Amino acid sequence: MPPRLKKFIRNPALGNTVPIVCLIGVLLAAAGTIAPGLLARSSLFNLLRLAAPLGIICIGQTAAILSGGVDLSVGSVAILTNVVAANILQGRDANNLEAFAVCAGQAVLIGLVNGLAVACVGINPFVMTLAMSIVIQGAALVYSGGAAGGAASPLVKFMGVGTTAGLPTAVVIWLVLSAVTLFVLHFTTPGRRLYATGANRKTARLSGVNVPATLVLVYVASALSSMAAGFVVTGNMGVGTLEWGFDYRLISMAAVIMGGTSFAGGQGGYAGSFVSAIALIVLNSLLTIVRVGEPVRQMIYGGVILISLWASTRKR
Amino acid sequence: MRKFVWFVRFALAAVLCLPGVASAAEELVNSAKYQKAPPYVVGLSNVSPSNAFKVAMVEEFKAVCEERKDLIKAYYITDAGGQIAKQISDIEDLIARKVDILLVTAASPTAISPVVEKAVEAGILVVTFDNLVETDKVTIRVEANESGIGTQNMEWLAKKIGGKGKIVMLGGIKGTSSAQLRWDGALAVLKKYPDIEVVGEAWVNWAFDKGKAAMESFLAANPVIDGVWTDGGGSAQGALTAMIEAGRVVPIVGTASNGFAKIWSKLKAESGFEAYCATNPPYCSVLALNFALDVMAGKPVQRHIRTDLAIMDNGNVDVLVRPDFSDMFWVDTLLSDEKNKELWGSK
């Protein structure tokens, strides 16, 4: 192997990107053997479209885990966004601005509370964001009276199921947000501060990084990315509903850790999470085809987290 | 006038074949023990209002209690938030309030049995319905025909596709008794049709997003699908949406949610699309209450009751669908139009 290629593959910011791309290849080959129709363009686009909300949520989750924490409130923020947005939109484009503003406002508020509690009060991020997710679930129930309603506007539907330049719009949104994320993480000061904070808070503080501000920013960004994912899902479903089948909290953690971002913080990056999100959705589809039930899937997602954690501990 | 309104409402419900009553066992409630002159105090211990069906179930109950002040002088509704411990203390509380009738839809079939037995020993007429409590001591057990949802849906689908072909099955939440009963009911019907092949099966939690995702995978993997069996409104709506997006719409069965009915009715008008639903109505709470009131009035009532299912098909879907209501509305209802508007209309 040429040393340059070797150096590229070993780049810590890539995490497990290269092996996971190979894994996706294997999964697709398996899928193609079992059911050739899965490799059709429309089907691959469907898979990518399904991966988009997960991938977008992983932006925030990656940042949270890089900072040495975790965000367990991602799924509930997405559900709250769906319930509130659909209710405000009522199927009309005229209400887009209000829906975006309200949902962004509540996401920023949630992120601020999470971030301040973790950074300034010193509450464990696991406990804090878990409690927050329970509060948000309750809020979504109260807001909707248990009976969510409303409908996505044409613009939001376009985000969920439309196509732009031949690609599903959801995927285009995901790609744009991913590019911004990679740029911020690797080419800007806040990005470097995030890595420094995650690697070692004490040295980060001593080198002049404003650690609390960085952490608050991470949780606000995480809530905002979950909000964006909430809009994509709302567009895909077309309605507001409390009855979501996918557990984004668990799958997003699995994707980020599988992507090679260290749970201890400061190591890894979004590229690994990006490809892991695709790998997990392809895996999910394959498991559906070969009739593996939900309980076994939960075990597989849990197993993915455990194996990735184990592998990352061994590396060190 | 009020009586007339009631009559109209029941006549409307008859469009849907108002659930009749079939007895599972011949044993009668000892009415003499409970017989009492009205008005009564009634309690409903609910497991959680976490989905549209449960919300409708509670509202149906409330509406009847409000209208029948001559029979019901006070009613209490408790919500356990899905927690067993909370439901136990809820029921303790209702016993302390000396309710005459207690309706229970349970967070656990076994764990709340002791407190339910305590209520029976306190002389309260206890009816379990919806999510049943498994204790013999309960006064009346009103059981929904869960397996019937599976069998009737599958019977219709099998006949629709001419007894042969490839189908997909999308179940509810794996591990819950209602989802399993429906699934097993469907499989029992399939034994009669050896030429029907199940090319895909998934448990999609009755949810739109999972139903749609699973159906997308199956459509991609199978060049031919002749029919889709589901046991939920959200899952049927999700699967149907996936089929429309793929341009491959085939007959589908589910339960009577407005979201499913909206798409169905539109497709029916456009292309003569056909679907079918056997549904357990959300006013099961009202049925349970009525049985209890009958006992109080000294009428003979079976101890074990199994309610019939309501049917939505191409004949009545256009009458039942409410394009102006949210997707979460259950088309089968006894509530007044104003109440439904308040609950499911645009806010």
Side-chain angles (χ1 to χ4, degrees), chain A residues 37 147-148 236 239 245 285 291 294, chain B residues 198 209-210 212 220 327-328 344:
Chain A
N236 188 26
V239 293
S285 175
R291 305 182 183 188
E294 189 59 26
Chain B
V198 180
D209 58 346
K210 278 206 130 169
K212 190 178 175 202
D327 284 10
M328 298 296 126
W344 317 104

Side-chain angles (χ1 to χ4, degrees), chain A residues 292-308:
Chain A
V292 171
E294 189 59 26
V296 179
R297 276 180 221 206
Q298 300 277 348
M299 286 165 64
I300 291 174
Y301 293 141
V304 164
I305 297 183
L306 284 178
I307 292 170
S308 311

Side-chain angles (χ1 to χ4, degrees), chain A residues 16 84 93 200 291:
Chain A
N16 299 333
V84 172
D93 266 337
N200 189 327
R291 305 182 183 188

